[in-house]
Amino acid sequence: MRIDLHTHSRASDGTETPGDLVRAAGAAGLDVVAITDHDTATGWDEAAQAAAEVGIELVRGMEISTRHQGAGVHLLAYLPDHTHPGLDAALDKILDGRTSRVPAMLDKLREHGIAIDITDVRRVADGTAATGRPHVADALVELGAVADRGEAFRTLLNPGRPAYVDRYAASLVDVIRAVTDAGGVSVIAHPWGRHASGEPGEETLAGLVEVGLAGIEVDHQDHDADDRERLRAIGRNLGLVMTGSSDYHGLGKVDHDLGCNTTSPDHYERLLDLAAAAAARSGRPTPEVLRP
Ligand code: AMP
Ligand code: ZN
Ligand code: FE
Ligand code: FE
């Protein structure tokens, strides 16, 4: 069983349509794939249709932009009812923050001597609900200002670079609670990917388990062997579900090929058991795992 629980389509900042993403997962020999676009469920229906055609197991999820103790945290939410009012409102607010940030980034680029029109960003971002820096990067590539997304982030879009603009992110604790209420399960994506390795640590994670966190993504390209070993020890201590995933973005992110990290069948089954329990408790019409 090859299980990849974190991928992106054009519904956010991947480069393939949801249908093409699922077909690529089938072609890559995966048995299970989760679609987890940033802050949106808009790719789910198309992905579900393709999964039925391909005969691959599909888990519908999303990766939600949150903040905890001053640091950005990406929260993977699996199988929630995305129409739950609390969750839907949180996502709307995050998406508004994404949209309103784009003109501010373009202003900074203009001050830096690079003129990009908002219509250019809208065109390269066609199909997404969650506009982000990767789409501004694509517009920069189109203009010939940089060679690829990586160069755009390194030279212009990362924190500390000339066109960086922060954006709104929801409270992690509030979002974990909303996901639970919506019948879904929460897993922190690449917990040590964007900060110094070691944070959030065991104490912080234990506190989050108290509010409903179910798991952490351990095997991710942002974690080196030492990070993974230490995260696995914390996961064992806290009884967390531990996942491994590619964080695939199509051509948008190098070294994140489908299936480059995978989740073990026993941890996947635990995740599904927790999702079934959360769904039953919530009374919400949650999406089912599509099994071929
Ligand atoms: P945003 O959500 O708009 O702040 O942009 C962050 C997104 O950009 C994340 O989904 C990352 O996967 C992606 N990203 C960050 N750094 C890079 C990079 N060097 N190359 C390609 N994508 C990146
Ligand atoms: Zn992304
Ligand atoms: Fe992420
Ligand atoms: Fe991701």
Side-chain angles (χ1 to χ4, degrees):
M1 283 272 280
R2 297 187 70 225
I3 303 162
D4 188 339
L5 294 180
H6 181 171
T7 71
H8 297 267
S9 77
R10 285 191 63 86
S12 62
D13 57 0
T15 57
E16 292 161 343
T17 63
D20 284 345
L21 163 68
V22 168
R23 282 183 280 276
L30 294 177
D31 301 288
V32 181
V33 67
I35 180 170
T36 55
D37 278 303
H38 297 283
D39 309 313
T40 183
T42 51
W44 286 7
D45 290 349
E46 188 188 320
Q49 209 175 337
E53 285 160 19
V54 169
I56 190 172
E57 188 161 323
L58 177 73
V59 178
R60 283 167 277 188
M62 56 181 76
E63 183 179 17
I64 307 177
S65 309
T66 78
R67 206 176 292 282
H68 189 58
Q69 298 172 345
V73 175
H74 286 183
L75 188 75
L76 291 161
Y78 294 107
L79 301 164
D81 169 16
H82 72 93
T83 70
H84 175 274
L87 181 57
D88 182 59
L91 295 173
D92 267 353
K93 199 166 171 192
I94 296 167
L95 293 175
D96 282 348
R98 285 181 165 281
T99 304
S100 63
R101 173 175 65 158
V102 177
M105 281 194 278
L106 299 187
D107 285 346
K108 287 196 158 190
L109 282 171
R110 209 165 292 116
E111 284 166 30
H112 194 67
I114 301 173
I116 289 180
D117 197 80
I118 188 120
T119 56
D120 296 327
V121 179
R122 288 207 190 104
R123 184 164 26 78
V124 294
D126 184 38
T128 189
T131 313
R133 284 179 286 164
H135 304 105
V136 175
D138 289 347
L140 286 162
V141 172
E142 197 182 62
L143 188 71
V146 294
D148 51 30
R149 281 187 183 182
E151 186 184 339
F153 273 87
R154 271 196 311 281
T155 60
L156 295 162
L157 303 176
N158 273 334
R161 307 309 301 170
Y164 177 73
V165 179
D166 198 8
R167 65 180 166 84
Y168 169 79
S171 146
L172 173 62
V173 168
D174 291 353
V175 172
I176 290 174
R177 292 204 169 109
V179 168
T180 306
D181 281 352
V185 174
S186 294
V187 173
I188 293 186
H190 45 74
W192 293 351
R194 306 179 120 209
H195 331 288
S197 109
E199 276 305 320
E202 183 160 341
E203 203 177 318
T204 302
L205 290 168
L208 294 168
V209 169
E210 294 290 311
V211 303
L213 180 71
I216 51 174
E217 189 177 60
V218 171
D219 289 307
H220 183 279
Q221 295 303 78
D222 285 358
H223 298 148
D224 64 21
D226 183 55
D227 289 337
R228 295 179 191 205
E229 201 176 310
R230 290 161 62 206
L231 279 168
R232 228 179 283 286
I234 293 172
R236 269 194 301 270
N237 288 344
L238 299 178
L240 293 168
V241 171
M242 290 180 266
T243 65
S245 315
S246 64
D247 202 356
Y248 177 72
H249 282 69
L251 300 173
K253 220 171 171 185
V254 296
D255 196 28
H256 287 263
D257 292 340
L258 285 164
C260 65
N261 298 294
T262 56
T263 299
S264 70
D266 53 324
H267 280 269
Y268 176 55
E269 286 306 323
R270 268 188 67 200
L271 187 76
L272 294 187
D273 288 348
L274 290 169
R281 270 198 315 275
S282 73
R284 305 290 308 183
T286 56
E288 285 170 34
V289 173
L290 295 179
R291 303 201 119 133

